[in-house]
Amino acid sequence: MSAPAVKTEPTDLLEARGLVKHFPVEGSEDVLRAVDGVSFAIRHGETLGLVGESGCGKSTVGRCILRLYEPTAGRIFFEGQEITSASREEMRRLRREMQIIFQDPYSSLDPRLSILSIVGEPLKIHNVGDRSERRDRVADLLKKVGLDPAYMARYPHEFSGGQRQRIGIARALALNPKLIVCDEPVSALDVSVQAQVVNLLQDLQSEFGLTYLFISHGMAVVEHISNRVAVMYLGKIVEVADATELYSNPLHPYTKALLSAIPIPDPKQKRDRIVLTGDVPTPINPPSGCRFRTRCPWAIDECAKVVPELREIRPGHMAACIRIDGYDTAPIAE
């Protein structure tokens, strides 16, 4: 009799520990604290959604992960290997495993290059195949993203925004990566096209076993595509949970406010809105203690003194708020 199969937990493809990215402010000794101590992990084959308002540091996190920005501090691990201090040559080899889909399909494609050159460029840089083999690979990739291979002789200005983003996706797939950072890949597209691109990303993930870091400020889109969701505010992650759990039972007051703003497609139904007062503080001089306290409806004096840690409140559900204790499902009193 064979031994029973042992169930193992999914292993992490990527892990960030205490990631920090500060930008110097010109003409000043101050720094802009774009990312200020972010930790998370992404398992093989899953989609981690990273959400928050514009300017919270989401895209900076994605670019630090790929070393497009050099982190100020912290550590990044890819398949267990620390890549924070990897050399330029080592990162060049890792680029085959880690790719990005940019937000703006209009500025991310070189207007002087044909689609054949744009999608085939990663293959050429990494010396994959000869000219004929690269052409065949580009044709196959265009089919995968729903475009006619005959389009490869055309130039970016001849395509719509949705088609350009499909070209960007084909380029990201060229080297068979394991991880793709999707940096707001649908926010610049018409609503009618957004669903098509999101569905395409899901189909490609299923076919190729891809892992996504999906960055967006669209809460409804993130709910549709993500397995887990991390919520960012002013350079810090304030809540992480499975998508179903986070959307049905948010714990952090900022997450609650974001979810209350999602429209309900029924004019007879009303949602209780949590309207945040004031503006987002500057990341050059963020508030003391909890960074959300200046806009939080439930802030107390202690919130100005204590920096809340991201801690597990219930299994798999983490939040950074001193007013959340134990396993209480409604810990924050009005």
Side-chain angles (χ1 to χ4, degrees):
M1 179 183 294
S2 60
V6 177
K7 185 177 180 180
T8 58
E9 290 298 318
T11 56
D12 295 333
L13 176 68
L14 179 94
E15 183 184 3
R17 298 181 191 171
L19 192 63
V20 174
K21 180 59 183 176
H22 294 169
F23 294 97
V25 177
E26 189 174 354
S28 169
E29 294 183 359
D30 293 330
V31 293
L32 189 151
R33 302 170 183 273
V35 178
D36 217 10
V38 164
S39 299
F40 62 89
I42 310 177
R43 304 175 190 128
H44 281 276
E46 82 164 345
T47 298
L48 176 68
L50 187 59
V51 300
E53 293 171 285
S54 296
C56 72
K58 307 183 301 294
S59 294
T60 303
V61 167
R63 292 175 184 235
C64 285
I65 290 299
L66 299 173
R67 296 273 307 278
L68 298 178
Y69 290 157
E70 289 299 328
T72 304
R75 304 170 75 188
I76 304 165
F77 296 84
F78 185 78
E79 293 190 313
Q81 173 191 353
E82 185 171 3
I83 64 170
T84 323
S85 56
S87 67
R88 188 182 184 91
E89 185 58 35
E90 288 171 329
M91 283 309 301
R92 183 186 177 94
R93 290 194 295 269
L94 276 170
R95 298 275 181 238
R96 297 183 65 133
E97 311 288 349
M98 309 163 69
Q99 290 291 314
I100 185 170
I101 300 168
F102 293 99
Q103 175 180 358
D104 186 358
Y106 291 91
S107 62
S108 63
L109 304 181
D110 190 331
R112 300 165 298 178
L113 298 180
S114 69
I115 303 311
L116 172 61
S117 297
I118 289 171
V119 179
E121 188 174 26
L123 302 171
K124 186 176 181 180
I125 289 173
H126 290 271
N127 298 314
V128 177
D130 57 27
R131 187 172 180 177
S132 175
E133 290 171 333
R134 289 197 290 268
R135 186 182 184 88
D136 291 342
R137 174 67 173 157
V138 171
D140 184 56
L141 287 166
L142 291 179
K143 288 180 186 176
K144 293 290 185 186
V145 299
L147 295 174
D148 191 332
Y151 293 168
M152 70 172 70
R154 298 184 182 180
Y155 289 81
H157 72 271
E158 300 179 73
F159 296 89
S160 67
Q163 288 174 321
R164 291 189 194 199
Q165 197 60 296
R166 288 173 185 266
I167 294 165
I169 293 170
R171 178 176 59 186
L173 288 172
L175 296 169
N176 292 317
K178 295 177 181 177
L179 171 72
I180 297 181
V181 174
C182 304
D183 186 8
E184 305 212 33
V186 298
S187 63
L189 305 178
D190 292 340
V191 175
S192 60
V193 180
Q194 288 184 9
Q196 298 174 19
V197 173
V198 169
N199 289 337
L200 171 63
L201 289 171
Q202 289 182 305
D203 291 342
L204 293 170
Q205 182 177 40
S206 177
E207 182 175 354
F208 297 109
L210 298 169
T211 302
Y212 292 146
L213 173 61
F214 191 90
I215 299 167
S216 179
H217 59 259
M219 297 295 289
V221 174
V222 169
E223 180 183 19
H224 179 71
I225 196 172
S226 301
N227 302 107
R228 289 187 302 130
V229 177
V231 182
M232 277 193 77
Y233 182 81
L234 206 63
K236 288 184 175 289
I237 290 179
V238 298
E239 187 163 2
V240 183
D242 287 344
T244 303
E245 165 70 10
L246 185 130
Y247 279 77
S248 62
N249 189 24
L251 295 177
H252 197 280
Y254 178 60
T255 309
K256 293 186 180 199
L258 289 180
L259 294 179
S260 76
I262 299 176
I264 299 174
D266 184 348
K268 296 180 181 178
Q269 248 187 312
K270 290 188 177 181
R271 191 193 297 274
D272 293 330
R273 284 292 312 275
I274 301 173
V275 180
L276 300 178
T277 58
D279 296 323
V280 179
T282 171
I284 296 175
N285 185 27
S288 63
C290 174
R291 296 187 174 189
F292 183 59
R293 67 176 175 81
T294 57
R295 304 174 71 201
C296 180
W298 303 286
I300 57 177
D301 291 343
E302 196 70 14
C303 295
K305 305 171 186 175
V306 179
V307 178
E309 293 184 4
L310 188 65
R311 56 196 173 92
E312 192 168 55
I313 307 301
R314 55 172 58 91
H317 196 154
M318 305 178 74
C321 178
I322 63 171
R323 301 205 63 190
I324 301 172
D325 294 312
Y327 291 82
D328 192 349
T329 57
I332 300 173
E334 299 268 356

